[in-house]
Amino acid sequence: MSSLQTGRRRRSLDLATPMHLNGSQSHGEINSARSLQEPNSGTSDGSQSVSGPKDIAGAIMHATVPAWLQLSVMIGLIFGGCCSNVFALEAIVKEYPDSGLLITLSQFILTALSSWPKHFSRHRPPFYLKPNAVPIGRWMINIVLFFAVNVLNNYAFGYKISVPVHIILRSGGSVTTMLVGWLWGKRYSRMQAISVALLTIGVVVAAMSDAKAKGKASTTSTSNTASFLTGLSILFVAQVLSAIMGLYIQSTYAKYGSHWQENLFYSHCLGLPLFLPFLPSITTQFSTLSNSPPLTLSSTLGTYSTKFPTTMQKLLFRLHIPNKIFLLLANSITQYACIRGVNLLGAKSSALTVTIVLNIRKLASLLLSIWLFGNRLAPGVLVGAAIVFGSGALYAWEGQRMGQKSRRKKTV
């Protein structure tokens, strides 16, 4: 199996993000002439029979509309799901920054339940799961790494790390990916090294500028700086573990095939028992969010609630849900939508396309965070963000160029 095929899941794992998921690979550029389901029509020898302009126009519409519809769904899931996920996340951590464990657990539960039907088999008691393509022992190492990365990423919010800075710093994952990859035995081009050096500078500039701005704005600058540096350390450890996880998944797919859906299910489902030692803290966090101001379902639905039967309207009026619990559910649902969108895009497009789309998505999330929550970033942070996103795109472009060059050599 080529490195192009084995890296797909690793790319999908970066982001999500906020799974929090990581990597680089492609399955070919999006082909607008390929439909979701290939039509089974034509002559007896399999060739298409086109008799006139109407037939030609119909064939073009049949081939292109489903592909563009699929592309629209993918982009909608990524931008709608991922950006909404960041909004729900910031709405929670803005007031309750210590709720990272609960947020992570909620995401794990919903993703495990959503991906379970694909692996259910009523003929295989007692667990009723289909045979897995990858040995479960192989998945266990990935499960521990995946759990640690997600917990650490969300746990960092408790240490004066704002969502915009969190987005910028996590966009610098190529730094740790290259470092760990080099130790793993991989070698990189000069342009990749330059882009990562620029990316490192951007991350450092953004982090130092934000720390300096927080120090000026607070009377307890020493404690704030110490807390911020602790948060940076947590994110750095998470990035290193994420890079190791990406390389481990790449080697797993090279040996057993690219079974990303199986990875998605087992990494979330078998990761749930790892939350048990943190249960007291999670219970406290849930109790805190449960005491947030209530949100009535009737007011949430607005005028649409009047279209329900009278009995249903009365029930909706009486039902109240704490607004932070509602946001917690929204965060988990949009997280799954984001993961699906990234994986669908990864299956149909190149590594460069995915990286560019995800960088634009991160930039959109950053701008939305600044606009919706009134986050004021220091000029140095904005300069650092521009360097990070620009050098990230340069790194992806160079990786794509090297991949094409390597494939041309193999075909010669």
Side-chain angles (χ1 to χ4, degrees):
M1 179 174 291
S2 68
S3 60
L4 182 69
Q5 292 172 319
T6 57
R8 179 177 67 208
R9 174 58 182 158
R10 185 169 164 248
R11 179 190 60 232
S12 301
L13 281 174
D14 185 25
L15 268 158
T17 145
M19 290 108 324
H20 331 305
L21 313 152
N22 219 358
S24 63
Q25 179 229 329
S26 79
H27 209 73
E29 291 290 340
I30 295 176
N31 184 359
S32 61
R34 185 185 182 97
S35 62
L36 291 175
Q37 293 181 340
E38 296 293 344
N40 185 22
S41 61
T43 61
S44 59
D45 63 351
S47 62
Q48 294 294 320
S49 174
V50 180
S51 59
K54 290 185 179 180
D55 291 332
I56 294 174
I60 293 174
M61 289 295 293
H62 184 81
T64 58
V65 171
W68 285 112
L69 179 62
Q70 186 181 27
L71 177 62
S72 301
V73 170
M74 290 187 291
I75 299 300
L77 286 172
I78 291 174
F79 282 87
C82 299
C83 291
S84 300
N85 176 260
V86 173
F87 169 80
L89 175 68
E90 186 163 8
I92 297 173
V93 299
K94 195 89 171 175
E95 295 182 44
Y96 305 98
D98 297 323
S99 55
L101 279 170
L102 176 62
I103 293 171
T104 310
L105 174 61
S106 177
Q107 292 173 347
F108 269 57
I109 291 174
L110 192 135
T111 303
L113 290 175
S114 300
S115 56
W116 170 73
K118 280 187 172 292
H119 302 277
F120 172 75
S121 174
R122 59 176 180 170
H123 303 296
R124 291 177 58 83
F127 300 110
Y128 297 97
L129 294 175
K130 295 177 182 177
N132 45 303
V134 180
I136 200 68
R138 182 84 183 187
W139 283 137
M140 294 308 297
I141 297 175
N142 180 66
I143 289 165
V144 173
L145 288 170
F146 185 72
F147 171 82
V149 169
N150 281 275
V151 168
L152 289 173
N153 277 329
N154 286 334
Y155 193 66
F157 288 117
Y159 292 90
K160 308 296 180 182
I161 300 290
S162 66
V163 169
V165 172
H166 194 275
I167 293 171
I168 295 169
L169 296 181
R170 289 192 63 197
S171 298
S174 298
V175 177
T176 51
T177 298
M178 177 174 280
L179 176 62
V180 173
W182 185 81
L183 295 173
W184 198 282
K186 289 179 172 290
R187 292 298 176 259
Y188 301 90
S189 70
R190 182 179 299 177
M191 184 60 71
Q192 285 178 312
I194 292 173
S195 64
V196 167
L198 289 172
L199 196 149
T200 304
I201 293 171
V203 169
V204 171
V205 168
M208 290 183 65
S209 299
D210 192 67
K212 187 176 180 181
K214 282 183 167 65
K216 288 182 179 180
S218 174
T219 55
T220 58
S221 59
T222 304
S223 61
N224 266 356
T225 302
S227 181
F228 183 75
L229 291 176
T230 302
L232 287 181
S233 301
I234 291 172
L235 285 178
F236 177 75
V237 172
Q239 293 280 35
V240 171
L241 292 177
S242 180
I244 294 172
M245 179 180 67
L247 291 170
Y248 181 79
I249 291 173
Q250 190 175 21
S251 65
T252 299
Y253 289 165
K255 186 174 182 179
Y256 299 100
S258 182
H259 302 283
W260 68 266
Q261 290 182 324
E262 185 174 298
N263 184 13
L264 181 68
F265 172 69
Y266 282 109
S267 60
H268 286 85
C269 183
L270 296 186
L272 291 174
L274 298 178
F275 286 95
L276 288 175
F278 307 99
L279 198 57
S281 177
I282 292 172
T283 303
T284 302
Q285 293 172 15
F286 183 80
S287 177
T288 302
L289 295 189
S290 298
N291 292 325
S292 60
L295 182 71
T296 59
L297 292 180
S298 59
S299 63
T300 304
L301 294 172
T303 56
Y304 288 102
S305 61
T306 59
K307 298 180 180 180
F308 292 103
T310 305
T311 307
M312 182 66 72
Q313 291 183 38
K314 290 180 180 179
L315 180 62
L316 290 174
F317 184 78
R318 292 175 183 175
L319 285 177
H320 294 72
I321 181 172
N323 68 78
K324 299 305 179 188
I325 298 297
F326 175 80
L327 288 169
L328 183 67
L329 294 173
N331 175 265
S332 300
I333 294 170
T334 53
Q335 172 69 21
Y336 181 71
C338 180
I339 293 173
R340 291 292 300 176
V342 171
N343 282 305
L344 287 171
L345 184 64
K348 296 293 182 182
S349 62
S350 68
L352 180 60
T353 300
V354 172
T355 303
I356 291 174
V357 168
L358 294 184
N359 272 342
I360 295 173
R361 195 280 302 169
K362 290 177 184 177
L363 182 60
S365 295
L366 178 64
L367 296 176
L368 283 173
S369 176
I370 295 171
W371 176 47
L372 294 175
F373 293 94
N375 291 304
R376 294 184 178 180
L377 299 183
V381 177
L382 296 176
V383 171
I387 296 173
V388 167
F389 289 122
S391 55
L394 180 63
Y395 180 89
W397 175 81
E398 176 64 10
Q400 177 78 356
R401 189 188 67 81
M402 289 180 63
Q404 291 177 344
K405 186 177 179 181
S406 176
R407 289 192 295 274
R408 281 197 297 267
K409 285 183 179 180
K410 289 179 181 180
T411 56
V412 174

